[in-house]
Amino acid sequence: MPETTIRELASETEWKSAFPVMRQLRDHLDRDAYLDYLERMSADGYRLFGRFVGDELVAVAGVDILTNMYYGRHLWVFDLVTDADHRSEGYGEELVEFLVEWAEDRGCEKVALSSGLQRSDAHRFYEESVEMERASYVFTRDVA
């Protein structure tokens, strides 16, 4: 059985290798836009982690540690996706558990994320598989 690992993806080469998996969540991005966002976001604290089985990247998570008045110091999960060919194999759960421990080691009080209303399978995963609570609705408004 191949070795399984989770590690930070910090170089442009590693970011490029993660694009096919990330694109399954962020399908509106081409590779150049994705890399541009990663460059700017990582300068502000964003970190990208990958879940590997052997040399194969099977899931990614993009996170940042934030502080606000309603969650305190917390880990915000901006991106979390398991490759479609590897869903329901436990890799997403393992990645979330890694993030919870990583956040706890850094003094975070909570792990939080936002998920699109249409993503009912993801909501079921968050509530049933990784024991997250539905806490709020997120409202947006375009400014342009």
Side-chain angles (χ1 to χ4, degrees):
M1 178 172 241
E3 179 184 357
T4 62
T5 59
I6 297 173
R7 63 180 169 81
E8 185 172 359
L9 308 176
S11 71
E12 185 172 323
T13 299
E14 292 173 317
W15 293 348
K16 287 177 181 177
S17 72
F19 179 68
V21 177
M22 181 67 81
R23 186 161 169 82
Q24 294 175 42
L25 177 65
R26 306 292 180 216
D27 60 1
H28 62 286
L29 296 177
D30 63 30
R31 192 172 85 157
D32 290 339
Y34 160 79
L35 292 172
D36 182 57
Y37 277 124
L38 277 173
E39 187 73 31
R40 289 187 282 156
M41 292 164 57
S42 64
D44 291 332
Y46 179 93
R47 313 275 289 267
L48 186 64
F49 292 94
R51 172 73 169 82
F52 292 84
V53 175
D55 292 333
E56 184 179 9
L57 181 63
V58 297
V60 296
V63 303
D64 196 356
I65 294 176
L66 305 173
T67 302
N68 58 34
M69 289 188 238
Y70 50 94
Y71 292 146
R73 182 176 170 86
H74 65 281
L75 185 72
W76 184 262
V77 181
F78 288 97
D79 312 290
L80 178 63
V81 59
T82 299
D83 181 78
D85 292 337
H86 294 285
R87 292 192 183 137
S88 299
E89 295 177 18
Y91 300 133
E93 290 174 49
E94 292 170 2
L95 188 51
V96 169
E97 289 310 312
F98 167 85
L99 294 174
V100 169
E101 290 176 20
W102 192 86
E104 183 178 20
D105 290 347
R106 284 151 185 80
C108 294
E109 302 170 39
K110 189 174 287 286
V111 173
L113 57 81
S114 173
S115 180
L117 293 172
Q118 75 283 5
R119 299 183 48 81
S120 57
D121 289 342
H123 303 163
R124 190 170 34 263
F125 167 78
Y126 297 134
E127 292 175 333
E128 296 175 9
S129 297
V130 296
E131 300 176 357
M132 295 183 89
E133 294 179 12
R134 192 177 303 219
S136 68
Y137 288 99
V138 174
F139 296 91
T140 66
R141 179 177 169 181
D142 291 339
V143 294

